[in-house]
Amino acid sequence: MVQNIKGGRILKPIISIVIPVYNVEKYLERCIKSILSQTFEKFELILINDGSKDRSGKICEAYAKKDIRIRVVHKKNEGVSVARNLGIDLSRGEYIGFVDSDDYIENDMYEVLYKLIEENNADLSACGHSTINDKEKKAIYSNEFISCDKKTALKLFAEMKIFRWSCWDKLYKKSSLGEIRFPKISHGEDTIFLLNFFQNNNKFVGVENPKYNYIKINPNSVTSEKFSEKKLDLLIYFKELYAVMYKNNLDSLGEKAEGKYYQVLLSYYSRCGKFKINNYLKHQSEIYQEIKKNYQKIKNNNYINNAVKINIALFIIFPKLVSTINNCYLSYKDCKDG
């Protein structure tokens, strides 16, 4: 439930930028400043304070007093999907963009995306991004430009080229969104949102120029947390991904995504036991039945190597034994990576 909405006195913004905010006081000011310094100035910034328990809400309010383009919404915590959907519903711009509150953007990002989408009369424009952690900054960059239809966009999306799986390095024509919203799941909501958008529209443009800075150093980020019951939501987007590829006659990509889905299933069976997540016996039983039921498809999948197929065949016969062996491997891998 929305508690209150403040600010946002700018008339007729062209772009609405939506930022879900939850306990990010350490990063939030950098994010907001990067947006307020945009060379494209005709925007509204919608800050959705999703029940933060730190100073994030106060930081939002302070910036709203400084800039009339900022609107602040305070609500109870319901997750990033609900927050983004609320931002969409409240938006007044012709176009919508999303930024995560622990990231920041280059000062010409929205100027670049706006020119791309306007000049090509497209439904979506995309740019490249840089991934930043405490060791290095890795940029995805080239001068490649692409203008394409639905099928090509879906192919590039599945291959994680130009149109990648995150919602934040893109600009969307609001009228092209229709009823498309983020699903209320903990992981993979971007992927399903984008799959729906690509399926329901026809023209997409992108350039591999890194204008978004994605930060991987926030310990509170959902992408950095250890395995939990919430991460089982990732299975939803893997299934959606291969279903959409098959539906659009991208059979090779569908088979590849389906192969990845079954391999993730096997890994999650072991992780459910290793981390003793809630209802792990129930989840393990469901995963086992899913693998057993589809073993013939697994056996015939060209993108699952023979070693994994043997592992899965043994798993069907000796699930607990194989899970124990896999857990030993996972413990070794986590120790090595950690």
Side-chain angles (χ1 to χ4, degrees):
M1 178 181 294
V2 178
Q3 295 176 351
N4 55 67
I5 304 175
K6 298 180 181 179
R9 296 180 294 278
I10 184 173
L11 298 177
K12 294 184 179 179
I14 293 175
I15 296 175
S16 296
I17 304 169
V18 178
I19 303 184
V21 176
Y22 181 69
N23 292 350
V24 283
E25 61 179 18
K26 182 178 178 181
Y27 308 95
L28 184 55
E29 290 197 69
R30 178 181 61 188
C31 177
I32 293 175
K33 286 178 180 178
S34 74
I35 292 169
L36 296 182
S37 66
Q38 288 297 293
T39 53
F40 184 94
E41 297 180 338
K42 294 181 180 179
F43 65 84
E44 64 173 350
L45 174 57
I46 305 175
L47 298 169
I48 311 290
N49 178 28
D50 193 33
S52 296
K53 297 183 180 1
D54 62 2
R55 294 181 55 256
S56 295
K58 291 181 179 179
I59 293 171
C60 292
E61 292 284 354
Y63 276 91
K65 290 178 181 178
K66 297 177 183 178
D67 197 306
I68 63 172
R69 295 171 295 180
I70 298 177
R71 303 166 69 190
V72 181
V73 180
H74 297 282
K75 60 182 292 297
K76 69 178 183 180
N77 179 250
E78 295 176 283
V80 66
S81 289
V82 175
R84 286 177 182 153
N85 290 340
L86 177 59
I88 293 171
D89 294 339
L90 293 174
S91 65
R92 298 176 295 181
E94 299 173 41
Y95 301 97
I96 297 178
F98 303 98
V99 177
D100 282 356
S101 53
D102 47 0
D103 300 333
Y104 66 98
I105 61 178
E106 299 300 317
N107 66 356
D108 62 344
M109 185 178 104
Y110 280 110
E111 182 178 355
V112 169
L113 291 177
Y114 177 70
K115 285 182 178 179
L116 277 175
I117 203 168
E118 274 280 298
E119 292 174 359
N120 294 278
N121 191 26
D123 300 294
L124 174 151
S125 60
C127 63
H129 70 270
S130 299
T131 299
I132 303 171
N133 58 31
D134 52 1
K135 294 181 180 179
E136 62 179 348
K137 176 176 180 176
K138 182 179 180 182
I140 296 173
Y141 177 78
S142 74
N143 291 318
E144 183 180 2
F145 165 81
I146 189 165
S147 175
C148 64
D149 60 8
K150 173 173 64 175
K151 188 169 183 177
T152 301
L154 283 169
K155 180 177 183 294
L156 291 168
F157 180 76
E159 295 171 343
M160 296 190 72
K161 297 177 180 177
I162 300 181
F163 305 111
R164 294 178 178 82
W165 294 10
S166 298
C167 68
W168 31 250
D169 53 359
K170 301 171 179 69
L171 187 65
Y172 310 80
K173 184 181 289 185
K174 185 177 179 180
S175 60
S176 300
L177 273 175
E179 299 300 316
I180 299 169
R181 296 294 185 270
F182 290 88
K184 195 176 179 180
I185 56 178
S186 299
H187 296 278
E189 74 285 342
D190 288 37
T191 306
I192 295 176
F193 173 82
L194 287 163
L195 281 170
N196 287 333
F197 190 89
F198 286 128
Q199 284 196 95
N200 286 279
N201 291 289
N202 298 298
K203 188 166 186 182
F204 313 94
V205 291
V207 62
E208 286 282 61
N209 196 336
K211 297 296 179 181
Y212 190 98
N213 295 294
Y214 168 61
I215 310 300
K216 293 190 70 174
I217 59 176
N218 179 3
N220 295 318
S221 171
V222 294
T223 56
S224 65
E225 68 185 19
K226 287 189 175 181
F227 187 82
S228 67
E229 190 171 18
K230 291 180 179 179
K231 287 206 171 181
L232 291 170
D233 284 344
L234 288 170
L235 298 174
I236 298 172
Y237 89 73
F238 273 119
K239 292 190 77 170
E240 185 75 13
L241 179 62
Y242 75 71
V244 169
M245 294 302 124
Y246 284 139
K247 181 180 177 181
N248 288 276
N249 299 315
L250 295 164
D251 293 347
S252 177
L253 290 170
E255 185 180 8
K256 186 175 183 179
E258 189 174 20
K260 179 67 174 177
Y261 166 70
Y262 290 118
Q263 292 177 72
V264 170
L265 266 183
L266 181 63
S267 170
Y268 278 15
Y269 182 98
S270 298
R271 289 186 178 273
C272 282
K274 178 185 176 184
F275 290 99
K276 295 293 188 293
I277 65 169
N278 292 336
N279 304 312
Y280 76 93
L281 290 174
K282 174 178 175 290
H283 292 309
Q284 283 188 323
S285 176
E286 291 171 348
I287 290 171
Y288 176 79
Q289 293 301 326
E290 176 84 348
I291 291 175
K292 184 178 180 180
K293 180 178 69 175
N294 293 286
Y295 176 65
Q296 197 60 40
K297 293 172 72 175
I298 294 169
K299 187 178 177 181
N300 295 329
N301 191 292
N302 293 312
Y303 292 93
I304 302 177
N305 64 45
N306 288 332
V308 174
K309 288 179 180 178
I310 292 171
N311 194 16
I312 290 174
L314 290 171
F315 168 77
I316 291 172
I317 303 170
F318 308 110
K320 297 300 180 183
L321 175 61
V322 172
S323 179
T324 299
I325 295 171
N326 287 343
N327 271 338
C328 292
Y329 170 74
L330 289 172
S331 296
Y332 166 76
K333 187 175 183 298
D334 289 343
C335 181
K336 185 179 179 181
D337 293 344

